[in-house]
Amino acid sequence: MAGVSGGADPVGRLLVQVQNDLENLKKKLVDTSKEKGVTVDIQVLETAIQRTERGLRKHTQDYLNYINCSPMTILQDSKEKYTPCAYKWTPQHETAKLNEKPLVSHVQDTRPHPPMSHISPGQQHKLTLSTRIMCNPDNLTHRDLLNHSYGISLPLINCKPKTSVPIDRIARGPTVSHLSVLPASHRMDASLPPPPVHEKDMQKGILSLIHRSLIPPAARLTLIPPAIKQEPLPLHSALARRTATLTQGKARNPVKIANLSFTANRIHVNGSSYFHESESQLSESGQETPSMPLNVSATTSRTSTNGMWKEQQGDISPESQDAWALVPVTPDTGHCFTIHNGLIDPNAVDFLAFKQHYCLCWGTFMTFLESLQKLLQDFAIPTAVVNGDKMKATILDLELSRTPSVSQLLSVLDNRSWVQKLLNLPGQRYRGRDGKGAAARKIQATWRGYRERGAYLAYQRKKWAAGVIAIIWLLHVQKSRVKKMLQESRERQLQNFRSRGKHLASNWNHIRTCRRSIIHIPSLGYTEKQRTQTPDLNIQQNLQMGRLCDIADPNVDVIYISPLKLDEETEQYYRKLLGLRAAVLSRNPLDATELHDRFTILTPEAVDRFPNHHMCLSTLLKYSPKTLQRIRNLTQGRETYIVARVPHTDDLAVADMLGVPILGTEPKVAHLYSTKSGSKRIFANANIPTPPGQYDIYNQEQFFSSLSQLIVDNLLVACWLFKVDNEFGSNGTAFCDIAAHLPCYSWAVKERERYSAETWKQKWAQEKALQRIAQDLPQVLEHYAQPVNRHRYSTWEKFLQVFLSQGGVIEAFPPAESITCLTIDLLIAPDGEIQMLSCGDQIHSSNPLQSVGSSVPQCSVPPDILTSMCNNIGEACKTRGILGYLSIELLTFIDPQSLEQQIWATDLDLCYSDQLAMTQLLLYLTNGTLDCRNSRLTVPPAPRKVERRRHKAQPAETIILDRVAVLSTRLVHTNLSLVYYNVFFQMCKAHGIGYDVKEKQGTVFALLENQKRHRVGMMSIAEDLQGALMTFARNLFIIHQEISAPNMQGETNFKETVQEIETILGVTEENKLKFEE
C-alpha cells in the first residue's frame, strides 16, 4: 500500500480507464450506424463491459483496504500527480476538436442497441448527457448512473466538495462590503446623539466597534449576562470524589465495570501492577479491556488520594509522588504508550497501537527505546509515558549521532519533569538495575579519585614549589649578574675617576691658567630617603646660580646644569646681570650689555620623564643622552672638569660618559666624613676644639649613659643638642634645656660645689649625681626635648628612633648669651694647595640653629687664628684623600668663667656651599678681592681726574676701598608668587633698591626658580657691616610691605630675619661704644 499512498489516486485512474473504454465504444457505435447493412458485434461489447466491471471491483476493493488500514507515510514527490479537474463539456460535434486522444478506448457495448439512424433526438440527447456524466467522476450522479447502466458499484467516499475557482478570471474591485464608521460630525461634536448600530456591525464584535469609534474608547462596558460567574467552590473529600467517579463509570458502562473487583486500597499500589491486574480481571470475565474509562477513574482516584495526602504531609518528594498523577490521560490513538518499571510490555494495547502507527520507522524507534529502557531500569523509574511525535523529532536530530544523551532520552517523555526529579534524587541510580554493583564501582572510583587527587595535588604543590624555586633562583642569578655588572661598572668608573684625578693633579697648574670649561652640577647626592623627605628638591638644587660668575676669568666657559627649566625672563635677567661686568670694570653704566656667550644653561630632558621620582641632578643627567651629547660638543677640544655639590655615585658615571675628571672627593669618602661623627674625627685629628659631646651613638643605653656623664662633667652647660649623623642642615637636630627641666640639676650643681674641680673629675665623687640624673633623664627628654624641624620629626620618639638607627652625636650648646656662627669655604686643589675662598658670619632667623644668610667677610674671629684652624683642618682632610670644595662651620662666644673667646668647630660639609656661590657673584659684580687671611673685601677705587702742576710729581697714593656684603639664598615669602618679576623690579626701582656700578654698592637679587616663585636670593653691599645690615633689613621691610596686605601676610621669614638683624645692629652699636670708650 505504500505505492498507493505515494502514487496517484487509484479511483481516478480507474475512472480515466472507464472513460477511455466508453469513448472507444461510442466511436464504434457511431461508425456502425454510418455503415448501413452492417450489424454490431454484441459479443465484443459484452467482453469490454465485463473487463471494465472486473477492473472496477478489483480497484474498489484495493481502495477500500487502503482507506480502512492504510499506515501514515511520509509523502514523496512524484512526477505523476493526479490533479482532479472539472471538464468543460462542449457539443458532440466539438468533442473531437478539444481532445487529441479519444476519451474512451476501443470498447464495444455488448448490450443490444437500436441503430443510430432510428434513435429519436430525445434519446440522442439523453445518451450524450449520460456519456458526459460518466466521463466526469466529480458529478454527483456519476456513481448512480454507472451502477444503473453497467452494474458497477463504486465505494462511497465522503469528501468535501472542492470549489473550483477559474484561474483565468481576475476579481477586480472591493471583495468585502464597507462597514459603517463614526461620522466626522460626531467626532467634532460629542454632544450629538450617537448614530444607530446595525446588526451587521454588532456581529463584528466589541473590539471592531471600538476601533471604528462607534463605541467610545473610554466607555465602561458591562457584559449581561457576565462571562465569569463568581460562586464559592465546593470542596469534596477524596473518598466522595472516588465514589462519584466509580458510580459514573458504572452508569456509563455497567457491563464492563461490573466485574472490576478492586477496592480503594488497591488504588495506591504500583501503577504497573494495577494496570496488569485490571486487564487480567477483564480478560477472565471475557470482556474487552476498557482503556478510556478505566484510566480516567484510576487517575481521578489517585489524584484525589494524592491531594489528601499532600494536605496532610505538606511537600512530597519526587520519590514518594505517584507517577499516575502526572501521566496524561489520552485515548489509545497510537501516539504514546507507557513504560512500567523500565520494561516495555510487548502485548500492551497502547504499545501495539504505537507500534502499528509507527511501523515504517520502527527499526530506528527500537534502537532508541532500548537506550530509554536501559536508562529507566538503571534509575528505577516506575512510570514513563513515551510520546511518538517527540520521539520522531528527536530521532531526526539524532541521525548523525550514535548514542542519544540523557536529555535527549528524556525529551520524548510526557512526564519528563517528574522523571527528571527522580533522576536528580541522591542515590536513585543505586536503586535500579545492578544498583549494588554500581554503588560498589562508585565507591571504588571515588576512593581511587580521592587517592589520585591527593597524589596529584601533592605533585602540583611540588611542581609549584619547584617553579617558585626556579623563578627565584633565576631572579637571584639575574640580580647577581646585574649586581656584578654594576659593581664592575662602578669599579671601572672609580678607577677612571682616580686616573683622571691624577691627570688633573699633575696638570693643575696648566689647566687653571689655560682655556678651559667648567661643568657645574649642583646635585644633592643624599640618600633616596633624604631626597624624598626634602621639600622642593629641585629648587634646593638650584640655589647656586652664582656659579655662573666663574666666567670672571676670561679663560673660563661655564656649563651650568639646571634641575629646572628656566623661562626666557629668568635667562634674560642673568644675561643682563652677567653683562654688568663691563660696566663694573669701566664704571660706566652705559657699557652694560646682555652677555650671550661664555656660559650655557642646560636642563636634562629626563626632568620631564621622572617628575616625581626624587632623583638627584646627576642621576637625571645620566639618563639624558641628548644633554650629554650637547655637553660633549661644547667641551670638545678643551680642558674640562666637573664641579659637583654633594658627591654621588652617578657623578662618576656622568664623568665616565663625558670622559672628564671631577674636582671633588670620592662619593664614599665624602659621605663618610660629611656625617656628624665623621667630622668629629677630622676635628680631633686636626686638634681643633669642639663642643663637649659624644659621637657614634647607636643604642639607647649608650645614649642615656653618655648624656648623663656629659651633664655631670659639664654642669655649666644648660642646653644640649642631638644631631643625626647623615642629616644635612638643621633637619636632624633636636635640643633640650636640661638646666630648666631636670629636677635634680640644682642639687647636682650644689653637689659639685662641695668638691674642687680636680676632685669632681673622680668617679666616686660623681657617682651619686650620675645615678640620680640617669633616673630622671628619660622622662625629661620625653616631655621637653624638641626637634628643630617639626615637619620631618613631629615627636621626640620618632626623632630618637631615627637617631639610634642612623647614629648621631650629643653636643653641648655654648653657655653664653651671645653666640656667633661662622662658615668658611675651603678649596683643596688637586696639587694640594689649601685656599680660603669665603668666610662669613651667619645670620639666623627665629631659630638660632637655622641659618638664612651670612655677612662677608667675617669679623668675629681673629684672622690669624681662623687661618691656622682652617689650615689644620685642610691638612687633616688632605691626609684622608679629601679633595675639592669643603665648608666648615665654627661658633665663637665669650666664656662666662674665663671671659676669653672660645672657638668650637661644629660641622664639616664636603660640598660646594651656597655662601661660596653668592661670594662668586659678589666678586663678579664688584671686581673686588676677598682676603680671607685678613678678613677684608677690597674693591678698586673710582678713577680721579689728574691735575697738571709745575712742581715735581709726588708718588701716587694707593687707595683701597673696603666693602662688606650681606647675602642670603633662603629668603622665603609666599606672596612673591603673586608678583611677576618685571613688576617686582619696577617696585624695587621705585623705592631706590638697586646697584650702583660706580660706587659698587647697593642690592642685587638672584632669581632661583620660576615655578613657585616664592624664593629669592638677595645681596646687599655697603662700606661697613652696619650699613650692609641696615640696607638688607630695609629691603626686606619694603618688599614685605609692598607684596603683603593686612589680611594676607603669607608665610615668610622676612620678619624674623629683620629682627635678628636688629639684634645684631644693637650688639654692634654697643660694641662700638665700648670700643670708643
Side-chain angles (χ1 to χ4, degrees):
M1 298 302 293
V4 174
S5 63
D9 193 354
V11 178
R13 294 201 305 271
L14 179 61
L15 294 177
V16 171
Q17 185 178 358
V18 172
Q19 182 182 5
N20 294 334
D21 293 342
L22 293 177
E23 185 68 24
N24 293 332
L25 181 60
K26 175 183 175 183
K27 287 185 177 182
K28 285 189 176 183
L29 290 176
V30 173
D31 294 338
T32 303
S33 62
K34 291 181 179 180
E35 296 176 1
K36 297 181 180 180
V38 181
T39 60
V40 180
D41 192 359
I42 304 301
Q43 187 66 30
V44 176
L45 293 176
E46 289 180 355
T47 303
I49 292 172
Q50 289 177 0
R51 186 171 64 252
T52 302
E53 289 178 353
R54 287 195 302 271
L56 285 174
R57 291 191 190 95
K58 180 178 179 298
H59 289 295
T60 301
Q61 185 65 29
D62 294 340
Y63 192 75
L64 291 175
N65 294 336
Y66 167 75
I67 293 174
N68 294 333
C69 58
S70 177
M72 296 178 65
T73 59
I74 300 174
L75 297 179
Q76 300 178 357
D77 295 337
S78 178
K79 296 181 181 180
E80 298 179 0
K81 293 184 179 180
Y82 167 69
T83 304
C85 60
Y87 294 94
K88 184 176 181 181
W89 299 101
T90 59
Q92 184 178 3
H93 64 276
E94 296 179 2
T95 305
K97 297 180 180 179
L98 295 174
N99 300 314
E100 296 179 358
K101 294 182 179 180
L103 296 176
V104 183
S105 303
H106 295 278
V107 180
Q108 296 181 0
D109 193 357
T110 57
R111 297 178 296 173
H113 293 282
M116 295 297 294
S117 59
H118 302 287
I119 297 176
S120 62
Q123 291 179 349
Q124 292 181 1
H125 177 72
K126 184 178 181 180
L127 181 60
T128 304
L129 183 60
S130 300
T131 305
R132 291 178 180 177
I133 293 173
M134 284 188 294
C135 292
N136 184 14
D138 294 335
N139 198 305
L140 298 177
T141 60
H142 173 76
R143 184 172 177 274
D144 296 336
L145 180 62
L146 196 61
N147 187 17
H148 180 268
S149 301
Y150 298 101
I152 299 174
S153 179
L154 294 179
L156 180 60
I157 301 174
N158 295 327
C159 58
K160 296 181 180 179
K162 299 181 180 179
T163 304
S164 60
V165 179
I167 60 177
D168 56 344
R169 292 183 180 180
I170 300 175
R172 299 181 181 275
T175 58
V176 296
S177 59
H178 294 284
L179 300 177
S180 60
V181 296
L182 186 67
S185 60
H186 288 72
R187 297 177 184 270
M188 301 298 296
D189 189 2
S191 62
L192 295 177
V197 181
H198 303 286
E199 186 68 24
K200 181 181 65 174
D201 296 332
M202 296 177 62
Q203 292 177 357
K204 298 299 181 178
I206 297 176
L207 186 60
S208 177
L209 296 175
I210 294 175
H211 287 171
R212 287 182 284 149
S213 302
L214 295 177
I215 297 178
R220 299 183 61 181
L221 303 179
T222 304
L223 299 178
I224 302 176
I228 300 175
K229 186 177 181 181
Q230 298 182 358
E231 291 183 357
L233 179 65
L235 300 177
H236 304 282
S237 63
L239 183 59
R241 183 178 179 183
R242 185 179 69 253
T243 306
T245 305
L246 293 176
T247 305
Q248 294 175 4
K250 291 179 180 180
R252 289 194 300 267
N253 196 355
V255 179
K256 295 181 180 180
I257 304 299
N259 295 327
L260 295 178
S261 59
F262 55 86
T263 60
N265 295 331
R266 294 287 302 276
I267 295 177
H268 295 284
V269 300
N270 196 329
S272 59
S273 62
Y274 164 76
F275 183 74
H276 291 300
E277 290 178 10
S278 304
E279 289 185 345
S280 62
Q281 290 177 5
L282 293 175
S283 61
E284 289 176 2
S285 62
Q287 310 208 5
E288 297 179 356
T289 304
S291 59
M292 183 64 182
L294 182 60
N295 287 338
V296 170
S297 62
T299 305
T300 305
S301 303
R302 292 175 181 274
T303 305
S304 61
T305 307
N306 291 338
M308 183 172 59
W309 177 257
K310 288 181 180 178
E311 291 177 0
Q312 297 175 359
Q313 299 295 336
D315 296 336
I316 301 178
S317 63
E319 184 180 7
S320 61
Q321 187 177 359
D322 196 351
W324 286 91
L326 301 174
V327 176
V329 180
T330 57
D332 295 333
T333 59
H335 290 278
C336 59
F337 72 97
T338 306
I339 301 177
H340 303 283
N341 293 330
L343 297 175
I344 300 175
D345 188 2
N347 298 324
V349 178
D350 53 354
F351 180 73
L352 293 176
F354 182 85
K355 182 177 180 181
Q356 184 179 2
H357 189 76
Y358 299 100
C359 61
L360 296 182
C361 51
W362 186 248
T364 312
F365 273 33
M366 283 301 298
T367 304
F368 189 86
L369 289 175
E370 288 177 0
S371 302
L372 178 61
Q373 185 178 359
K374 183 178 180 301
L375 175 66
L376 298 177
Q377 290 178 0
D378 290 344
F379 286 89
I381 306 300
T383 305
V385 180
V386 182
N387 191 309
D389 296 336
K390 296 181 181 179
M391 186 181 294
K392 183 186 293 185
T394 305
I395 288 176
L396 290 177
D397 297 338
L398 288 174
E399 287 181 353
L400 299 179
S401 60
R402 297 182 179 180
T403 304
S405 62
V406 177
S407 61
Q408 293 172 341
L409 291 173
L410 296 179
S411 64
V412 304
L413 301 180
D414 283 344
N415 57 342
R416 176 180 179 176
S417 60
W418 180 80
V419 174
Q420 185 71 44
K421 291 180 182 179
L422 279 181
L423 292 179
N424 295 335
L425 286 178
Q428 184 66 25
R429 170 63 185 89
Y430 313 117
R431 298 174 184 173
R433 183 182 58 180
D434 193 19
K436 294 184 179 180
R441 289 191 296 271
K442 182 64 176 179
I443 294 173
Q444 293 177 359
T446 304
W447 166 248
R448 292 193 188 100
Y450 172 76
R451 183 182 60 189
E452 296 299 328
R453 178 66 178 173
Y456 175 74
L457 291 178
Y459 168 75
Q460 285 293 100
R461 286 194 296 270
K462 293 179 181 178
K463 184 179 179 180
W464 172 80
V468 172
I469 294 173
I471 292 174
I472 293 177
W473 172 251
L474 291 176
L475 292 177
H476 172 73
V477 171
Q478 181 70 12
K479 185 178 179 180
S480 301
R481 182 165 60 250
V482 173
K483 186 177 180 179
K484 184 177 180 181
M485 292 174 57
L486 289 176
Q487 289 178 351
E488 293 177 355
S489 176
R490 290 176 179 175
E491 184 66 25
R492 183 178 63 255
Q493 293 170 3
L494 182 61
Q495 294 299 330
N496 294 336
F497 165 78
R498 291 173 179 172
S499 62
R500 294 190 185 99
K502 292 180 181 178
H503 173 76
L504 182 66
S506 60
N507 298 278
W508 178 247
N509 293 329
H510 168 71
I511 292 174
R512 68 180 180 180
T513 58
C514 69
R515 186 74 175 175
R516 62 190 183 276
S517 296
I518 302 177
I519 303 174
H520 285 280
I521 306 177
S523 173
L524 293 176
Y526 298 118
T527 61
E528 183 178 0
K529 184 178 180 181
Q530 289 176 325
R531 296 196 305 268
T532 304
Q533 295 176 349
T534 301
D536 300 330
L537 177 64
N538 291 336
I539 299 177
Q540 294 287 342
Q541 294 181 125
N542 203 42
L543 298 180
Q544 298 182 359
M545 293 294 292
R547 294 188 181 208
L548 295 172
C549 298
D550 283 347
I551 61 174
D553 188 345
N555 294 325
V556 174
D557 290 343
V558 174
I559 300 175
Y560 181 81
I561 309 300
S562 173
L564 299 171
K565 285 188 176 181
L566 303 180
D567 57 356
E568 181 62 26
E569 184 180 11
T570 306
E571 292 185 358
Q572 183 181 9
Y573 173 77
Y574 279 104
R575 287 196 296 268
K576 291 182 177 181
L577 182 64
L578 297 177
L580 290 176
R581 180 71 174 180
V584 170
L585 296 177
S586 65
R587 295 181 179 272
N588 185 6
L590 299 178
D591 294 338
T593 59
E594 288 190 15
L595 186 64
H596 293 275
D597 54 353
R598 298 188 57 203
F599 79 96
T600 305
I601 300 176
L602 301 178
T603 302
E605 63 267 20
V607 172
D608 297 330
R609 299 176 184 174
F610 306 101
N612 300 319
H613 289 71
H614 303 283
M615 293 181 178
C616 65
L617 186 57
S618 299
T619 306
L620 294 175
L621 182 60
K622 175 183 175 182
Y623 297 118
S624 302
K626 294 182 180 180
T627 306
L628 292 174
Q629 182 60 36
R630 188 175 179 186
I631 293 174
R632 293 190 191 98
N633 297 335
L634 292 174
T635 59
Q636 188 174 6
R638 292 185 180 183
E639 295 290 342
T640 307
Y641 59 90
I642 294 175
V643 177
R645 188 175 177 182
V646 178
H648 191 267
T649 54
D650 286 337
D651 292 337
L652 306 183
V654 171
D656 195 54
M657 292 177 180
L658 297 176
V660 296
I662 299 177
L663 181 59
T665 313
E666 294 182 14
K668 291 184 179 180
V669 176
H671 285 291
L672 175 63
Y673 292 105
S674 291
T675 62
K676 303 299 185 290
S677 299
S679 61
K680 298 294 182 183
R681 296 190 187 95
I682 292 180
F683 296 151
N685 189 25
N687 297 321
I688 302 299
T690 58
Q694 185 69 30
Y695 56 90
D696 289 333
I697 298 175
Y698 290 95
N699 57 71
Q700 190 170 359
E701 182 180 359
Q702 181 186 6
F703 174 79
F704 287 109
S705 62
S706 300
L707 181 58
S708 301
Q709 186 64 47
L710 289 172
I711 294 173
V712 171
D713 292 340
N714 304 275
L715 288 175
L716 295 180
V717 177
C719 183
W720 291 88
L721 304 179
F722 315 101
K723 299 180 180 179
V724 181
D725 265 344
N726 59 354
E727 287 288 354
F728 59 95
S730 59
N731 293 324
T733 305
F735 63 93
C736 183
D737 192 350
I738 298 297
H741 302 100
L742 187 64
C744 60
Y745 180 77
S746 58
W747 173 84
V749 172
K750 294 179 181 180
E751 189 72 14
R752 183 204 177 281
E753 293 176 353
R754 294 173 53 191
Y755 304 95
S756 61
E758 296 295 332
T759 306
W760 182 249
K761 295 180 181 179
Q762 302 296 325
K763 296 295 183 182
W764 60 269
Q766 300 177 356
E767 183 177 0
K768 190 175 181 180
L770 185 63
Q771 184 177 2
R772 291 192 59 179
I773 291 174
Q775 292 177 355
D776 298 340
L777 194 58
Q779 295 182 356
V780 172
L781 293 177
E782 183 179 358
H783 291 89
Y784 300 105
Q786 298 179 9
V788 174
N789 191 342
R790 286 284 186 174
H791 296 285
R792 183 171 296 189
Y793 306 104
S794 57
T795 60
W796 165 254
E797 289 76 11
K798 293 182 179 180
F799 177 85
L800 183 61
Q801 182 180 1
V802 176
F803 181 90
L804 297 177
S805 61
Q806 302 294 333
V809 299
I810 302 174
E811 188 176 284
F813 191 79
E817 295 181 358
S818 178
I819 303 171
T820 302
C821 297
L822 295 84
T823 301
I824 296 92
D825 292 297
L826 302 181
L827 171 62
I828 302 178
D831 58 353
E833 181 183 0
I834 301 174
Q835 302 177 12
M836 294 180 61
L837 302 179
S838 176
C839 59
D841 296 329
Q842 293 182 3
I843 300 175
H844 301 87
S845 59
S846 59
N847 195 321
L849 300 176
Q850 290 181 339
S851 172
V852 295
S854 59
S855 60
V856 178
Q858 65 87 24
C859 55
S860 301
V861 178
D864 53 347
I865 298 177
L866 182 62
T867 302
S868 175
M869 294 178 65
C870 291
N871 289 334
N872 293 337
I873 294 174
E875 292 294 336
C877 291
K878 190 167 59 174
T879 56
R880 285 167 172 76
I882 298 174
L883 184 68
Y885 297 92
L886 60 134
S887 177
I888 304 171
E889 289 190 6
L890 307 175
L891 62 86
T892 178
F893 63 98
I894 303 299
D895 189 357
Q897 290 186 345
S898 60
L899 298 178
E900 294 181 357
Q901 185 180 16
Q902 299 290 333
I903 302 174
W904 289 349
T906 58
D907 200 1
L908 174 65
D909 294 324
L910 304 182
C911 65
Y912 197 105
S913 68
D914 298 342
Q915 175 181 287
L916 179 58
M918 293 298 290
T919 302
Q920 296 293 332
L921 179 61
L922 170 65
L923 299 179
Y924 184 86
L925 294 178
T926 59
N927 193 23
T929 303
L930 179 61
D931 186 5
C932 294
R933 297 184 181 273
N934 297 316
S935 297
R936 291 187 63 185
L937 173 60
T938 59
V939 296
R944 295 182 180 181
K945 295 182 179 180
V946 180
E947 295 181 357
R948 295 182 179 181
R949 295 182 181 179
R950 294 181 180 180
H951 55 80
K952 294 182 179 180
Q954 297 180 356
E957 297 181 359
T958 304
I959 302 175
I960 299 176
L961 302 179
D962 292 332
R963 293 290 183 267
V964 176
V966 176
L967 45 90
S968 174
T969 58
R970 300 185 181 274
L971 299 176
V972 181
H973 203 303
T974 55
N975 290 347
L976 285 172
S977 59
L978 305 177
V979 182
Y980 288 102
Y981 283 143
N982 55 356
V983 178
F984 174 77
F985 290 131
Q986 291 177 4
M987 176 189 67
C988 294
K989 184 178 181 180
H991 289 276
I993 301 176
Y995 182 69
D996 187 359
V997 295
K998 292 183 178 181
E999 300 295 333
K1000 298 181 180 59
Q1001 296 182 19
T1003 303
V1004 178
F1005 293 96
L1007 303 183
L1008 304 177
E1009 48 93 17
N1010 56 353
Q1011 295 179 353
K1012 293 184 177 181
R1013 293 189 295 114
H1014 63 273
R1015 291 176 178 269
V1016 67
M1018 187 173 65
M1019 178 174 60
S1020 297
I1021 307 172
E1023 295 181 353
D1024 54 5
L1025 178 60
Q1026 187 175 4
L1029 290 173
M1030 292 179 64
T1031 303
F1032 196 88
R1034 175 181 174 273
N1035 294 340
L1036 293 180
F1037 179 77
I1038 292 174
I1039 295 173
H1040 176 72
Q1041 291 295 326
E1042 289 293 332
I1043 65 176
S1044 300
N1047 57 349
M1048 190 177 65
Q1049 294 292 314
E1051 296 181 5
T1052 179
N1053 58 357
F1054 283 16
K1055 295 181 180 181
E1056 291 80 3
T1057 306
V1058 171
Q1059 293 175 1
E1060 177 69 15
I1061 292 175
E1062 290 176 352
T1063 304
I1064 296 174
L1065 289 174
V1067 174
T1068 304
E1069 188 67 24
E1070 183 179 354
N1071 292 337
K1072 182 184 289 188
L1073 292 176
K1074 291 182 179 180
F1075 179 77
E1076 291 178 356
E1077 291 179 356

